[in-house]
């Protein structure tokens, strides 16, 4: 491992920033204190600062050239209560928590910005993006729609997420899909309710719903190439109020994940066709709604290679994985990668007994701050 010596000196400061963010979590588009603190720090480093992007987003820029790169950290916390009794920097906002480690992402990118701002030498123009609303609310899409890349016409974008499934000290990045798409489905089946003893006088939406729960799996198990990956999970099934009345409606909800845009497109089309076909077969009606949330996160070849080389430099070659399987979770960095070439990497933060992302006792592992920040510095200015 070859960590940046200036970053090593910055560990106490990065740790203090991280724990301060952790104590003051703010959820999607409400990251006002966080955003103000970041803008203040970036200015103190000597960055040119742009605020108010998609509401609370901040960009700190350093001149260079001729190329220009964007490095992104997410700022938002989760709507959940923290269970880390005794932790001195435990969330002070009940019901909100940095349960995904975005506090660590901000601290690492701030550390890199501080070191790079004070360093001479050739390097591209750098834009450090602190993004609102990664969790569920697609802050990255809002930034793109508001003209992020017209304001900052960069050649490539890079992102980093902590990964408790990898040991601290290791990293992973690969070309192609890193994370899956994430969509929501909701289906309402409607028929004619009746007395449970006289089913022939109505239409049984419960029986139809039961068939539908199994039929949708054909879109994955029988129609998706076994070497591709997809998930359809029906997670909610609601119908009826009692045992002797056949209800008139049934509600199903669930989520759909895919690693390729074409698989995502096909699943949407096929789930609609299966629902309509099944409703026709049972003589009932169906309302099908498909809410596209996030596309798959797909890394480009050349930028994955740069990210991989930087990771090998700072973490040491044996600690860097180039063929770890992608995750079926989702990430809104995908919206930036749809516009620009780039790469999204994982930073190992795992330690024995530690909780995973989105768990009430999760806490970002500060031992990983120096590696993540060193990776950013190396990516900006390969040594
Ligand atoms: Zn998360
Ligand atoms: Zn996250």
């Amino acid at each position: 491992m070859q960590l940046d010596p200036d970053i090593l000196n910055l560990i106490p400061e990065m740790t203090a920033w991280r724990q301060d963010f952790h104590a003051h979590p703010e959820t999607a588009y409400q990251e006002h204190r966080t955003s103000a603190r970041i803008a203040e720090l970036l200015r103190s480093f000597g960055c040119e600062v742009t605020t108010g992007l998609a509401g609370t987003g901040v960009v700190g820029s350093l001149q260079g050239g001729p190329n220009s790169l964007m490095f992104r950290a997410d700022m938002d916390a989760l709507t959940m209560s923290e269970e880390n009794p005794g932790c001195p920097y435990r969330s002070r906002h009940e019901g909100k928590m940095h349960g995904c480690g975005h506090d660590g992402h901000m601290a690492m990118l701030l550390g890199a910005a501080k070191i790079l701002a004070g360093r001479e030498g050739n390097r591209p123009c750098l834009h450090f993006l602190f993004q609102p609303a990664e969790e569920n609310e697609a802050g990255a899409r809002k930034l793109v729609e508001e003209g992020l890349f017209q304001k900052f016409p960069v050649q490539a974008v890079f992102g980093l997420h902590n990964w408790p499934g990898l040991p601290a000290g290791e990293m992973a990045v690969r070309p192609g899909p890193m994370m899956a798409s994430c969509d929501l489905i909701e289906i309402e089946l409607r028929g004619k309710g009746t007395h449970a003893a006289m089913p022939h006088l109505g239409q049984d939406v419960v029986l139809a719903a039961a068939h539908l729960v199994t039929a949708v799996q054909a879109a994955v198990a029988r129609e998706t190439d076994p070497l591709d990956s997809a998930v359809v999970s029906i997670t909610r099934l609601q119908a009826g109020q009692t045992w002797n009345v056949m209800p008139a409606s049934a509600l199903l909800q669930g989520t759909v994940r895919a690693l390729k845009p074409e698989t995502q497109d096909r699943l949407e089309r096929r789930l609609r066709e299966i629902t309509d076909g099944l409703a026709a077969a049972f003589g009932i009606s169906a309302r099908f709604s498909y809410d596209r949330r996030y596309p798959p996160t797909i890394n480009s070849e050349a930028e994955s290679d740069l990210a991989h080389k930087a990771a090998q430099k700072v973490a040491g070659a044996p600690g860097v994985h180039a063929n770890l399987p992608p995750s079926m979770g989702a990430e809104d960095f995908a919206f930036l990668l749809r516009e620009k070439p780039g790469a999204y990497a994982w930073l190992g933060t795992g330690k024995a007994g530690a909780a995973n992302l989105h768990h009430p006792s999760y806490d970002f592992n500060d031992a990983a701050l120096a590696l993540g920040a060193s990776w950013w510095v190396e990516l900006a200015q390969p040594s």
Side-chain angles (χ1 to χ4, degrees), residues 251-263:
L251 180 75
L252 294 85
Q253 282 184 329
T255 184
V256 180
R257 310 294 172 114
L259 292 177
K260 295 178 181 167
E262 57 269 32
T263 307

Side-chain angles (χ1 to χ4, degrees), residues 50-81:
T50 311
T51 58
L53 300 158
T56 50
V58 183
V59 168
S61 302
L62 291 176
Q63 291 315 309
N67 280 346
S68 125
L69 302 177
M70 180 170 278
F71 293 171
R72 173 272 212 170
D74 34 17
M75 303 193 292
D76 56 321
L78 290 159
T79 304
M80 63 188 289
S81 295

Side-chain angles (χ1 to χ4, degrees), residues 269-292:
R269 180 173 53 78
R270 286 296 294 140
L271 293 175
R272 187 184 299 275
E273 287 170 359
I274 290 168
T275 301
D276 289 346
L278 197 124
F282 280 80
I284 58 174
S285 64
R287 176 184 62 78
F288 180 93
S289 83
Y290 193 95
D291 179 7
R292 286 199 169 218

